[in-house]
Amino acid sequence: MINLLPSLGDEVSVWMDAPPAEVWDLVSDVTRIGEFSPETFEARWTRGSTGPEVGAYFKGHVKRNGVGPTYWSLCRVTACEPEKVFEFAVGTDEMNVNNWGYRLEPKDGGTLVTEYFRLGSNLPTRIYWLVLGPLRRRTNQKGMRTTLERMKAVVEK
């Protein structure tokens, strides 16, 4: 059977001349995302959460496509393995819109860092992705590369 729907996610990888511990400090500290992301310009831990751990909540303040609209997104950490993977779900506890994450892999004396996203598989998201997916995929790819290159500049100083 041929799958006619485009993949509901993508990823971008950048090698950084820094150990996984240094990169981990950037990808898991959501309060620093405004330094790196072209869309999410600030974030803060919420609901009593104070740092990265599975189940921790934070809110990201997003300016869609870097121009607007501007809104807050509720996020919940879904994977947190220090120096390996940091992932979070965007949306409510009842409806996961998408997941974003970072995988860290020691490589060639540094770290291969992969940022990725996966959309939820609910019907409205699938319809959105079928219609606007190609444009949004390009925007996300560009944004992930920008985020990773800005992190690279910090850890390679």
Side-chain angles (χ1 to χ4, degrees), residues 10-136:
D10 211 339
E11 63 182 41
V12 171
S13 298
V14 170
W15 182 84
M16 299 183 191
D17 189 12
E22 286 182 36
V23 178
W24 173 258
D25 289 343
L26 296 184
V27 302
S28 66
D29 183 357
V30 301
T31 66
R32 293 190 68 184
I33 194 62
E35 296 174 46
F36 312 116
S37 172
E39 285 193 341
T40 304
F41 58 92
E42 69 177 315
R44 60 177 174 244
W45 297 107
T46 62
R47 297 186 180 185
S49 300
T50 59
E53 63 182 1
V54 172
Y57 286 91
F58 66 94
K59 282 182 162 183
H61 207 180
V62 177
K63 185 178 254 185
R64 183 74 168 198
N65 298 318
V67 294
T70 301
Y71 54 90
W72 286 95
S73 289
L74 179 63
C75 304
R76 182 177 45 83
V77 178
T78 55
C80 187
E81 296 178 50
E83 300 180 29
K84 292 183 181 176
V85 65
F86 180 73
E87 181 180 289
F88 56 92
V90 178
T92 65
D93 290 338
E94 296 77 30
M95 170 81 94
N96 177 15
V97 177
N98 61 31
N99 285 71
W100 286 87
Y102 300 90
R103 287 189 309 270
L104 310 178
E105 177 188 341
K107 185 173 184 178
D108 300 328
T111 307
L112 182 64
V113 185
T114 301
E115 183 175 3
Y116 59 92
F117 74 94
R118 249 184 357 266
L119 293 167
S121 60
N122 57 68
L123 184 59
T125 300
R126 286 184 171 278
I127 292 170
Y128 160 80
W129 198 244
L130 189 60
V131 175
L132 297 174
L135 290 173
R136 188 63 202 172

